[in-house]
């Protein structure tokens, strides 16, 4: 019986890893399509990836991984929900080098972070960070690609924050929390109870994500947007040099 459970656990993890890889590939393809569309629109022949871009991606991925290690708890959510600001270098890289670079920074950041600090969420937290982070980067990049001015960047971070808040909330409710419960072999009710202890108004998955996940992503998006807008203009010439 124990052997059967062990084999089932391996199968479940293999399926989850396959799902993770599938999501990564899909998002990279979307970012590649966005960049090719922008190049065609602007009559640009610049390659999606160059040696310079790869070097910057590597540097920014390392910075993002370090920022991701320093996760901070938030008082309005259970302990497994923490906030980090690793999207700052990813967003700067996205604005400077394009959406493909931003997505690759997000992915490489996850790999480096796992090497620095092993997962404590059976990789569910890492998938959440990647997918929700990209839901911020891609809309922001789309606005900036359409209008490469300060107004385009401002519109981009506002849209990106809104998309991350909505997508992160729905993704947690529909996929991440059920997957987290499955991987740890615990009922969803136990996760809901963790939220209830912090906020008595939390009594379901819906109230959990609305009262915990949505404000967390809104806070993160706001801070990342503000810092990026303050430093991007100064860093952009150095990155593109």
């Amino acid at each position: 019986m124990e052997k059967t459970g062990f084999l089932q656990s391996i199968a479940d993890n293999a399926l989850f890893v396959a799902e993770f890889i599938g999501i990564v590939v899909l998002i990279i393809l979307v970012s590649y399509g966005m960049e090719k569309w922008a190049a065609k629109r602007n009559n640009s022949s610049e390659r999606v990836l160059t040696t310079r871009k790869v070097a910057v991606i590597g540097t920014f991925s390392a910075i993002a991984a370090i920022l991701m290690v320093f996760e901070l708890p938030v008082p309005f959510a259970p302990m497994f929900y923490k906030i980090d600001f690793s999207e700052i270098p990813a967003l700067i890289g996205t604005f400077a080098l394009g959406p493909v670079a931003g997505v690759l920074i997000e992915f490489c950041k996850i790999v480096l972070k796992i090497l620095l600090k092993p997962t404590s969420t059976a990789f569910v937290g890492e998938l959440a960070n990647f997918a929700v982070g990209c839901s911020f980067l891609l809309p922001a990049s789309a606005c900036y690609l359409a209008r490469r001015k300060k107004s385009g960047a401002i519109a981009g971070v506002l849209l990106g924050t809104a998309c991350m808040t909505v997508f992160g909330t729905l993704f947690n409710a529909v996929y991440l929390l059920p997957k987290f419960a499955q991987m740890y072999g615990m009922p969803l009710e136990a996760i809901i109870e963790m939220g209830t202890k912090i906020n008595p108004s939390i009594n379901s998955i819906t109230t959990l994500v609305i009262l915990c996940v949505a404000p967390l992503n809104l806070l993160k998006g706001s801070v990342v947007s503000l810092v990026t807008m303050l430093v991007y203009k100064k860093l952009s010439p150095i990155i593109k040099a």
Side-chain angles (χ1 to χ4, degrees):
M1 196 73 175
E2 292 181 1
K3 184 177 180 181
T4 303
F6 176 70
L7 293 175
Q8 184 61 46
S9 177
I10 293 176
D12 290 342
N13 286 333
L15 179 61
F16 177 70
V17 170
E19 292 172 354
F20 196 152
I21 293 173
I23 291 172
V24 171
V25 171
L26 177 61
I27 292 176
I28 290 175
L29 290 175
V30 170
S31 65
Y32 180 81
M34 288 175 59
E35 199 148 338
K36 296 300 287 185
W37 166 81
K40 184 177 181 180
R41 182 173 180 267
N42 299 321
N43 295 317
S44 172
S45 58
E46 183 181 5
R47 292 168 56 191
V48 172
L49 285 178
T50 63
T51 303
R52 176 180 59 84
K53 286 186 178 183
V54 171
V56 175
I57 289 169
T59 302
F60 276 34
S61 296
I63 297 171
I66 293 171
L67 290 174
M68 189 178 175
V69 168
F70 294 100
E71 299 174 301
L72 302 173
V74 289
F76 52 79
M79 60 181 181
F80 56 85
Y81 280 123
K82 296 181 180 180
I83 190 169
D84 68 79
F85 301 108
S86 58
E87 264 65 51
I88 293 174
L91 181 59
I92 293 172
T94 300
F95 280 167
L97 305 177
V100 173
V103 171
L104 290 178
I105 290 171
E106 280 286 325
F107 178 68
C108 294
K109 171 195 76 175
I110 297 296
V111 175
L112 292 173
K113 180 269 174 186
I114 292 172
L115 295 175
L116 293 171
K117 181 181 178 182
T119 181
S120 59
T121 60
F123 299 105
V124 176
E126 284 75 17
L127 172 60
N129 191 284
F130 173 79
V132 176
C134 289
S135 75
F136 176 55
L137 299 180
L138 294 182
S141 178
C143 285
Y144 192 59
L145 286 173
R147 186 176 177 80
R148 287 186 171 275
K149 294 184 178 181
K150 187 175 182 179
S151 59
I154 293 174
V157 296
L158 291 175
L159 178 62
T161 299
C163 288
M164 180 170 70
T165 302
V166 174
F167 174 79
T169 302
L170 294 174
F171 195 42
N172 268 265
V174 175
Y175 181 81
L176 291 174
L177 285 173
K179 180 61 70 172
F180 184 80
Q182 175 191 338
M183 299 289 279
Y184 274 89
M186 61 189 299
L188 278 172
E189 288 72 19
I191 297 177
I192 296 170
E193 287 176 7
M194 294 180 190
T196 305
K197 290 179 181 179
I198 296 172
N199 185 344
S201 298
I202 297 174
N203 52 29
S204 65
I205 288 293
T206 301
T207 52
L208 177 64
V209 297
I210 290 175
L211 296 176
C212 296
V213 179
L216 185 149
N217 284 324
L218 185 60
L219 173 63
K220 181 175 183 176
S222 300
V223 173
V224 170
S225 299
L226 178 61
V227 174
T228 301
M229 294 306 298
L230 290 174
V231 304
Y232 177 70
K233 188 174 181 180
K234 296 179 181 178
L235 291 178
S236 179
I238 300 173
I239 297 171
K240 296 179 179 180

